[in-house]
């Protein structure tokens, strides 16, 4: 698995999900782009800054998985709270370290 935010690919997501097929590749890649965009906007960091910390890989995989499983990039209130709290925790850890 890639250890850089900018290098997360369909292959990484398919390993994480374990049930994604090549037929789903274009759909998953769109969700991956949306997940990366969400993390960028939420943190306000560039790809280079996100690449400096491995902490941001898991939220991207989790978001991509959620988008794929729900066939939507919309999050309900409960999902939004969980992801936002995860990103806040990661952001705080990053600033301390």
């Amino acid at each position: 698995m890639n250890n850089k935010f900018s290098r997360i690919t369909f292959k990484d997501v398919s390993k994480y999900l374990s049930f994604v097929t090549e037929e789903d590749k274009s759909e998953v890649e769109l969700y991956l782009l949306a997940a990366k965009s969400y993390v960028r906007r939420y943190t306000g960091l560039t790809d280079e800054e996100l690449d400096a910390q491995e902490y941001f890989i898991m939220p991207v995989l989790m978001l991509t998985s959620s988008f794929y499983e729900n066939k939507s990039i919309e999050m309900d209130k409960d999902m939004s709270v969980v992801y936002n709290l995860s990103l806040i925790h990661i952001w705080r850890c990053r600033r301390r370290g």
Side-chain angles (χ1 to χ4, degrees):
M1 180 171 300
N2 284 307
N3 62 354
K4 300 280 185 190
F5 174 88
S6 64
R7 294 185 186 159
I8 302 170
T9 65
F10 167 77
K11 186 176 178 180
D12 299 314
V13 175
S14 65
K15 283 182 185 177
Y16 177 76
L17 292 175
S18 73
F19 58 84
V20 175
T21 65
E22 277 294 315
E23 294 173 0
D24 300 318
K25 186 174 183 176
S26 61
E27 181 182 0
V28 170
E29 286 176 336
L30 289 173
Y31 293 133
L32 176 58
L33 289 173
K36 286 181 172 183
S37 177
Y38 181 90
V39 171
R40 277 187 212 101
R41 279 184 290 131
Y42 191 84
T43 62
L45 299 175
T46 65
D47 281 6
E48 293 78 22
E49 292 169 317
L50 290 164
D51 279 348
Q53 297 293 326
E54 291 182 18
Y55 300 125
F56 293 104
I57 294 169
M58 189 53 64
V60 170
L61 295 174
M62 291 170 59
L63 283 167
T64 305
S65 170
S66 177
F67 295 161
Y68 175 74
E69 290 171 6
N70 294 304
K71 302 296 184 205
S72 172
I73 61 170
E74 297 294 320
M75 289 190 280
D76 64 25
K77 185 178 179 184
D78 293 335
M79 284 175 52
S80 181
V81 168
V82 169
Y83 288 118
N84 289 340
L85 288 175
S86 296
L87 288 169
I88 289 169
H89 173 71
I90 289 167
W91 177 242
R92 286 184 180 156
C93 289
R94 181 188 178 276
R95 292 187 79 191
R96 286 187 211 140

